[in-house]
Amino acid sequence: MDLHLRHAAPTDQERAAVDALLGPPTSSWLGGTRGDVARDTHVAHGGRETREQRHLLLPALEALQARVGWISETGLEYVCTRLGVPPADAWGVATFYALLSTTPRAPRVLHVCDDVACRCKGAAELIEQLERKVGPAHSHGPHGDHVEIDPHSAVWMRSPCLGLCDQAPAAFLQQAGDARHERLVGELTVERAVTLLQEPPPAFVPHSDMPKQLVYSMEHRRPFFMQDDSPLMTETSTLRLPQDDNDAPQHRGLLDRIGIVDPTDIAAYRNTGGFDALRRAIELGPDAVIREVIDSKLMGRGGAAFPTGRKWDAVAKQSAHPHYLICNADESEPGTFKDRVLLDGDPFAIVESMAIAGFATGCERGFLYIRGEYPLGASRVQHAIDEARKHGFLGGNILGRGIRFDIEIRRGAGAYICGEETAIFNSIEGFRGEPRNKPPFPVQAGLFGLPTVVNNVETLANIPAIVLNGGQAFARIGTEESTGTKLFCLSGNVERPGVYEVEFGKTVRDLLDMAGGVTNGRKLQAMLLGGAAGVFIGPNDLDIPLTFEGARAAKATLGSGVLVAFDEAVDMKQILLRIASFFRDESCGQCVPCRVGTVRQEEALYRIASGKTIGGVSGEIALLDEVGLAMKDSSICGLGQTAYAAIESAIHRVGLLNGKSEIHI
Amino acid sequence: MSLTIDGRKVSVREGTTILAACREIGIEIPTLCFLETLHPINACRICVVEVEGGRVLVPSCSRAAEEGMVVHTQSSRVKHSRKLVLEMLASSVDLSTTPQVAEWIEEYEAKPERFGPPAPPAAPGTRDASVPGHHAPPNPEFAATVAEPAKIDNDLYVRDYAKCILCYKCVEACGPDHQNTFAIAVAGRGFDAHISTEFAVPLPESACVYCGNCIAVCPTGALMATTEYEKRAAGTWDESRMTTTDTICPYCGVGCTLRLHVDDGVIVKATSPLENSITQGNLCIKGRFGWRFVQNRDAVPGGNGAGNGDGR
C-alpha cells in the first residue's frame, strides 16, 4: 500500500517525541532525511516490518500529545510514515480518544470531574464557580495548522469519572511539554483549580529519587497525604484506606501491603512474601495452577463475573500460538477506583500475578492496559516490571527455569469503551477501540487474532493467595458461589469514602455502616450498585447481600464493586441525566441501537427535566423503556446492553422520576 | 448441519450464516450494512434474529449457523429491535434515497417522528470538528440528526453525509476489502462518529483515487456520482425509465464488465455487477466515470459539431 502523504515536515519537537518512542528512522522512506540515513533512498524499506508495528500507533499519538499538547497534521503524518498507517486511518484513531486533541490546545489542561460521585461532593457547584472565575470550559476550534500557543497557557474541561471518587471532587492535570507531567488531584476546590491553572507544576520526580520515609508512614499503617508545598507533590499518592480507621480491625487480604509496604521497593515486596507464589506456581506446573484456580471458584472482578479458572483452561488448551495475556486496568466505570489502589499501592503483586497467569496459560507476552488517567499507577507498574525483570522474575529465563514471560504497558487515552474485553484488543492493536462481535470469543481469537486471557486487576490480585494456600482454602472464604474477598468502592454521600475489602457475604447496609453511614446523618435517598452500567436501589433494599448470587436474586449486580450513596438532598434527575450523558459520550458509535439509542435516551430525560415532554412523563418513560429494550437486545457489546440499566432501575425500582419535582438545568 | 428457523428444519453447509440459511428457504430479512462482497461489519443491527438460549439477539448477517440452533426471525423481541433500529435511523438520517426502507418502516410500524421533529442541519464542518467525550446538551425541541450540507469538492461524486447510516461499507471498500487506498475512515466517536479523510481535508487533497467503489457499496445514496446527484436535484432521475446494458470496459486489458445505465439514450451511470467474478462490483476511475466521451460529440476534434449529445 502506498501512503498518500503531503510530506510536510514535522516540527523538531514532534519528531523528537515520536523518535523517543520508535527510535530514529532508518531510511528516508520512514521519515529520515536524506544524508541522515545510511540506507538507500531508492529502495522501499519497511513494508510488512513497519506495518507490524501498528500496535505502537496509540503510544505514538500519546507521545505527540504529551510533548506538543495536540496532534497536528505534520505530527500525525510523521507517525503514519514511521508505522505505515494511512493518515485517514490514523485520524480515525486519533479522534476516538478524549485525552488526545486534534486541534491546537493549551499545553496544560485540567480535566474536572463532574460525574455522579463527584456531584455528591459539589462538583457541579465547583464547575459553576470555575466558569465564573476563569471562564468557560475549553471548546475546540477547527483543526488546522500550527498556531502560536502560549506555552504557559492553560484550559479546563469537564471530565467523566476519573477513578478518584474517594477524594471527590477530583480532577486530572495534563501538562504537555518536554517534561511531561500528569497527575490526579483530589479534594479539588475552586481556589486550588485556579492555582493549578495559573502555576506550572513542579518537575516530575522519578521514583528512585523519592525519599521513601516521606511516602509511607509505617508506624501508623496509614498512607500519606503530602502537602502542596512538598517537593513530592507531583507524586501525591492517591491511596486512602479508611477501613483502618474503623475500631475493629477489618480483614485485609488484597490490601495487605497497601500503604504499608513501599510499592517502589522490590526488596520490601519480597520480604512480605512477594514472588513466593510465582516460585510455587513454577513448582506446581501450569496444569496444577489452573486446577487450583478452578478449585478456588474465583470469579472475574471486572463486572462480568466469569469463572477465571475456566477462562485460563480454555486458553491453555488452544493449539494456536502465541497466546496473549491482558491485564485490564482500564477501570473507568463511574464510581470505581479499587484497581487504582492496587496499581498505585501494590504494583509488584500485579506483575507477579500476571507472570503466574502467563505461565499457566502458555503466554510469553502480556499487556497491562491502564487508563490514561492513572499516570501514577502506570509509572509504578512500569517500575515494578523493570525491577522484576532485573531480578529474574520476568524476561527470557524466569527464575532460571527457562520460562519466558514479559509485560508491556499500554496506556488508554480517555475511552471507557476500551475496558470492554474485545475493544481493548482493537485499542492495543492500534485501531479504534470498537468492540468486536462475539463469537469468536477472546479465548479463541483475541489480541492479534490469537487466544487471549483478559483479566481484571483485582481478579489477578487474588492469584498469589490461591497458588500459595490452594484453591480449596480460597473457596472456603466467602459464600458457596462467591468465594474470596471483594473490594468495594464506597463513595458519594458517605462519611468515609474509600476502598473496603470484605469477605463475600456482607450486605449493602454492612458496607454503608463500615463507611460511617450517610454524611451528616442525612437520610439515604438511593444507592448506585455496580456503576453507570449497574442499578439503583432504594433505602429499603439495603439488605441485599453483596454476593454474585445475592445480587442476581435481587435483580441487581455487583458490577465492579461500586456503591455510591446519594442523600436526600441530591437532585437525582441530574444524576440520571449525567449517566445518560456519559453513555452518549462513551458509545463508540459502531452499532445503531447504542449510537442513536444513547442520544434518544438523553433527550427524553432532558425533556422530562425541562418540562417539555412528548406525551407527558409517562409517555417519555414508555419511550425510554422501548429504546432501552432495543439497546439491551441488539447492541454489539455490554456498553449498549447496559446503557439503560441504571436509569431503568431508577425509574421502575426506586421511582425516582415519579412525583412532580422539576430539575434545574 | 441442520437448524430450525421459524419452525422449519434447514440443512446448510458448515460456515453458512443464519442470513444465508434464511434466504435459502425464502425467509426475507432486512439488511443495510451487509453486502455479499464485503466482510460483515454487523453494525446496523436491522438483521437481528433471536436464537433460543441466547441472552441477546444476534446479527444474522455474520453469525454462523450451528448444529441444532433454533432461530426465530419474527419474534416480538426481533420485531421490536428492528422497529426501533428503523426509528432511530429514520429519525436521525435522511433515508429518502435508501431502497426498501420505506416498506420496512411500514411493515414494522416504525414511527420515527415520535422522538420529536428533526433538528436542522449542522453548519458545515461542525460534525467534522466534534470532540470525543464531549457534546452540547440536547435541545428539547428537536431530535438530534446527522444532517449537514452535502460535501461537493470534486467533479465526480458528492458526499451527502446527512444520508449516512455509518454502515462502514465505504471504508471497507476503500480499504482492506477492495481498493486498499484507505482514503477514508470512521472518525469521531458515538453519535458524532462520521466518515472522514484525515483532518477532514477535501477529497482532492486526500488519497482518493476516484474509483467510486465506495459509491457502489453505499446503501443509502449518501455517496453518489455527480451526474446522478444533479439529475435527482433537478427532478429528472427516473429509474423506471432507464435501461441497462452490459458491456466490457474499453480501457485496459482486464476486461471489467461495465453495466451502463441509460436514460433515453444517454448514459447516466456506470456500474459493474456485484456477482461479476472479475470486478465484484468494483471499477476504476476510468470505467466508473470515463464514459462521457461517448456522448460528448461536440468536443470531438474533427467531429461535425452538430451532435445532439444523446449518444445514439
Side-chain angles (χ1 to χ4, degrees), chain A residues 19-142:
Chain A
D19 288 356
L21 177 78
L22 303 176
T26 51
S27 89
S28 60
W29 283 87
L30 299 176
T33 47
R34 222 176 257 268
D36 285 350
V37 289
R39 291 166 84 177
D40 183 4
T41 56
H42 298 285
V43 181
H45 299 288
R48 175 190 284 270
E49 207 177 283
T50 304
R51 291 197 300 274
E52 279 180 351
Q53 293 198 73
R54 171 147 189 164
H55 63 94
L56 292 171
L57 178 58
L58 184 54
L61 295 175
E62 283 167 352
L64 282 174
Q65 177 69 45
R67 191 72 165 259
V68 188
W70 70 290
I71 296 164
S72 77
E73 197 171 342
T74 54
L76 186 84
E77 184 163 295
Y78 184 60
V79 169
C80 289
T81 309
R82 296 298 313 275
L83 298 176
V85 178
D89 207 348
W91 172 249
V93 175
T95 55
F96 189 82
Y97 294 98
L99 291 182
L100 304 179
S101 178
T102 50
T103 57
R105 194 171 74 182
R108 194 179 328 139
V109 184
L110 187 68
H111 301 267
V112 182
C113 178
D114 71 342
D115 218 323
V116 291
C118 282
R119 269 171 189 266
C120 295
K121 295 294 177 82
E125 295 73 21
L126 189 149
I127 282 174
E128 267 175 36
Q129 292 174 42
L130 203 52
E131 281 170 336
R132 275 203 301 277
K133 284 207 168 174
V134 298
H138 173 67
S139 66
H140 293 249

Side-chain angles (χ1 to χ4, degrees), chain A residues 530-549:
Chain A
V535 296
F536 281 98
I537 59 168
N540 299 329
D541 265 345
L542 297 186
D543 293 317
I544 293 178
L546 290 169
T547 56
F548 296 117
E549 63 277 16

Side-chain angles (χ1 to χ4, degrees), chain B:
Chain B
M1 63 175 59
S2 62
L3 66 159
T4 310
I5 304 178
D6 292 346
R8 293 160 65 183
K9 286 261 182 232
V10 193
S11 287
V12 292
R13 291 216 328 257
E14 199 175 328
T16 307
T17 62
I18 296 175
L19 178 68
C22 289
R23 286 181 174 174
E24 270 184 33
I25 57 169
I27 292 175
E28 282 292 318
I29 303 222
T31 60
L32 282 168
C33 70
F34 173 76
L35 197 70
E36 289 81 353
T37 57
L38 298 170
H39 282 103
I41 200 85
N42 53 61
C44 78
R45 315 306 274 190
I46 199 166
C47 73
V48 287
V49 295
E50 186 167 351
V51 174
E52 279 187 14
R55 187 175 50 88
V56 293
L57 305 178
V58 304
S60 61
C61 67
S62 62
R63 173 64 69 87
E66 289 163 29
E67 181 63 43
M69 225 179 207
V70 181
V71 179
H72 300 283
T73 72
Q74 287 295 326
S75 69
S76 58
R77 281 173 77 191
V78 168
K79 285 181 178 170
H80 177 80
S81 273
R82 288 192 191 156
K83 173 184 143 187
L84 264 291
V85 163
L86 286 164
E87 289 180 338
M88 289 181 193
L89 284 177
S91 62
S92 58
V93 185
D94 172 3
L95 299 178
S96 60
T97 52
T98 307
Q100 280 187 287
V101 81
E103 296 159 35
W104 297 333
I105 284 177
E106 202 174 328
E107 181 185 344
Y108 290 97
E109 297 172 354
K111 294 184 181 59
E113 62 282 357
R114 65 190 178 129
F115 297 118
T126 314
R127 282 185 54 79
D128 293 328
S130 65
V131 177
H134 296 269
H135 70 277
N139 181 335
E141 309 288 336
F142 296 113
T145 67
V146 299
E148 63 176 327
K151 289 184 197 292
I152 304 176
D153 55 13
N154 67 90
D155 294 337
L156 296 178
Y157 74 100
V158 173
R159 296 177 292 152
D160 187 358
Y161 289 129
K163 292 180 174 175
C164 177
I165 59 166
L166 215 68
C167 69
Y168 289 62
K169 279 178 182 169
C170 57
V171 176
E172 291 197 303
C174 185
D177 280 14
H178 290 323
Q179 189 65 25
N180 275 284
T181 291
F182 298 92
I184 47 172
V186 178
R189 196 164 84 190
F191 192 73
D192 304 317
H194 56 279
I195 307 294
S196 183
T197 58
E198 65 273 22
F199 287 86
V201 297
L203 225 40
E205 293 174 36
S206 77
C208 179
V209 296
Y210 301 96
C211 62
N213 292 332
C214 54
I215 308 175
V217 297
C218 179
T220 65
L223 303 174
M224 199 177 271
T226 305
T227 43
E228 179 176 347
Y229 185 82
E230 288 176 350
K231 277 180 88 68
R232 280 183 185 272
T236 57
W237 183 265
D238 181 358
E239 281 176 10
S240 66
R241 280 196 330 217
M242 295 178 196
T243 57
T244 57
T245 302
D246 285 1
T247 181
I248 301 296
C249 180
Y251 283 104
C252 80
V254 173
C256 294
T257 296
L258 272 190
R259 178 165 290 171
L260 301 175
H261 301 250
V262 179
D263 181 3
D264 192 23
V266 180
I267 302 169
V268 290
K269 181 160 82 172
T271 60
S272 186
L274 275 191
E275 60 276 15
N276 185 280
S277 60
I278 295 170
T279 68
Q280 293 185 54
N282 295 309
L283 291 169
C284 73
I285 182 172
K286 291 184 277 187
R288 180 92 52 198
F289 297 110
W291 39 262
R292 289 187 201 182
F293 72 93
V294 175
Q295 51 214 28
N296 208 12
R297 290 188 184 154
D298 295 353
V300 177
N304 62 12
N308 58 7
D310 66 3
R312 272 175 288 200

Side-chain angles (χ1 to χ4, degrees), chain A residues 6 432 434 585 603 633-634, chain B residues 45 77 81 135 144 168 201:
Chain A
R6 297 162 177 245
R432 292 164 57 81
E434 294 171 348
D585 274 337
E603 286 173 346
D633 265 351
S634 301
Chain B
R45 315 306 274 190
R77 281 173 77 191
S81 273
H135 70 277
Y168 289 62
V201 297

Side-chain angles (χ1 to χ4, degrees), chain A residues 521-601:
Chain A
R522 287 214 186 110
K523 239 175 81 188
L524 182 73
Q525 184 174 192
M527 289 197 77
L528 180 59
L529 255 61
V535 296
F536 281 98
I537 59 168
N540 299 329
D541 265 345
L542 297 186
D543 293 317
I544 293 178
L546 290 169
T547 56
F548 296 117
E549 63 277 16
R552 200 162 47 235
K555 294 192 164 52
T557 174
L558 297 190
S560 48
V562 172
L563 292 166
V564 188
F566 302 91
D567 70 24
E568 55 197 339
V570 175
D571 182 346
M572 291 308 291
K573 285 180 184 165
Q574 286 296 334
I575 298 295
L576 296 190
L577 253 182
R578 183 64 187 92
I579 290 174
S581 166
F582 174 80
F583 283 114
R584 189 252 185 254
D585 274 337
E586 301 298 334
S587 166
C588 78
Q590 194 180 194
C591 69
V592 174
C594 176
R595 179 175 77 231
V596 187
T598 53
V599 171
R600 297 293 177 247
Q601 170 171 288

